Amino acid sequence: MKTSKTFAAGALVLAALSLAGCAAAPAAPAPAEAAASSIRDFGPMDPACIAAGEPGTAQALTSAVIPGAHGTDALPGQARTAAVLGAGADLYVQTEPGQFAATGFQLPAAMPWAAEVAVPAVVTSTHSCGLVEVLVPSQSDDASVRSASAWVPSEQVAPVSEWEVPRIISVDISDASLSVTEGDAELLAIDGLVTGGDVATPTGLGYVVSEYEDAEQQPWTGGESITLTSLHADTSFSGNSGEIGVHWMDPAADDGSGSNGCVRVGDLDQVRALESVVSPGDIVIITE
């Protein structure tokens, strides 16, 4: 059952998004200190595995770049959602097998423009040295990585017994279609998508970071909800970070250049149905 929504307040100012990427988040306020947490299922993080760096409180938002963040080899069916304990979970990158370095970033427990809505960690179920691999909203410094992952101490997320299976949003670029499934049940099917433009829609495994509205900065969305994902296009313009979203766009106005890279839905009823069934933490898979 769907339990949460994220909407940015109209007064928040979003970045200009007229070219690459169609969804950028508001600037974050100063992060809060993370609350202490207890040791969880995989045991405490092994200090011997930490090669360098110190934990920090910078939030890993979609606009951030995390050096060393990597793509994941995990399959969508392995992904689970786990509540982040406290205000954020410390992010680490793997420097070599069994060795990790702190990034100075935290995976936030909620987006700063909608602090009342929890955003779970999306855990791939891969673990090492008391850390678990998670998908992150931020970009990697490796331009080939379209959706990045990193590692957090398992003691900073909910125990395995509380992990949940997310819904899966599948986008097929060649078929111009989208489906939402929960287990074996198909919740929604949408045809007639528009993707690409001057900037190609990236492929890969990501997740829903947030849902928000932005009629002022992105009038082509008609004030309808934008589903922001953790995937990024390979080109950024107008000060954004190439963030990829799923949103409504009037088919008569969509010549492929107004919302480069994003996934555009031309039917209002369908985009509203999508908004009603997905939540932060749901998996997004885009294939060609």
Side-chain angles (χ1 to χ4, degrees):
M1 178 178 295
K2 183 174 168 57
T3 59
S4 63
K5 304 298 302 170
T6 304
F7 293 97
L12 292 171
V13 178
L14 301 181
L17 303 168
S18 58
L19 295 173
C22 65
E33 292 294 327
S37 58
S38 58
I39 294 175
R40 298 295 174 178
D41 301 59
F42 294 115
M45 182 176 65
D46 184 352
C49 294
I50 307 305
E54 294 292 335
T57 57
Q59 291 185 309
L61 303 180
T62 57
S63 57
V65 176
I66 300 178
H70 56 280
T72 181
D73 295 326
L75 300 174
Q78 295 176 277
R80 297 292 184 268
T81 57
V84 176
L85 304 180
D90 299 327
L91 284 172
Y92 294 79
V93 293
Q94 189 170 37
T95 56
E96 59 182 272
Q99 289 292 296
F100 299 84
T103 66
F105 286 93
Q106 286 191 331
L107 182 69
M111 294 298 106
W113 57 90
E116 74 284 357
V117 179
V119 180
V122 178
V123 184
T124 70
S125 300
T126 302
H127 61 93
S128 176
C129 293
L131 297 109
V132 291
E133 186 187 47
V134 296
L135 302 182
V136 298
S138 308
Q139 299 179 89
S140 169
D141 61 340
D142 181 346
S144 68
V145 176
R146 302 272 58 88
S147 179
S149 62
W151 300 74
V152 299
S154 62
E155 61 203 38
Q156 293 182 0
V157 298
V160 171
S161 61
E162 297 177 13
W163 291 6
E164 297 183 356
V165 179
R167 287 170 288 264
I168 296 179
I169 304 163
S170 302
V171 176
D172 186 326
I173 294 175
S174 62
D175 196 38
S177 65
L178 177 154
S179 66
V180 182
T181 56
E182 187 168 28
D184 294 330
E186 183 176 76
L187 305 181
L188 182 66
I190 298 176
D191 295 317
L193 302 177
V194 178
T195 58
D198 293 337
V199 176
T201 299
T203 59
L205 171 68
Y207 72 104
V208 175
V209 174
S210 178
E211 292 177 294
Y212 67 96
E213 299 167 1
D214 182 24
E216 181 177 353
Q217 294 291 329
Q218 301 176 77
W220 54 84
T221 65
E224 298 294 328
S225 180
I226 299 167
T227 300
L228 177 67
T229 80
S230 64
L231 288 106
H232 293 257
D234 60 2
T235 305
S236 299
F237 295 97
S238 303
N240 74 354
S241 301
E243 295 98 327
I244 295 301
V246 183
H247 64 79
W248 179 78
M249 189 168 184
D250 184 349
D254 191 355
D255 62 0
S257 63
S259 179
N260 278 319
C262 285
V263 177
R264 284 93 79 189
V265 180
D267 185 291
L268 274 176
D269 290 337
Q270 289 182 328
V271 82
R272 288 169 182 170
L274 176 68
E275 181 265 337
S276 71
V277 299
V278 303
S279 291
D282 287 342
I283 292 295
V284 178
I285 308 167
I286 302 180
T287 57
E288 291 182 319

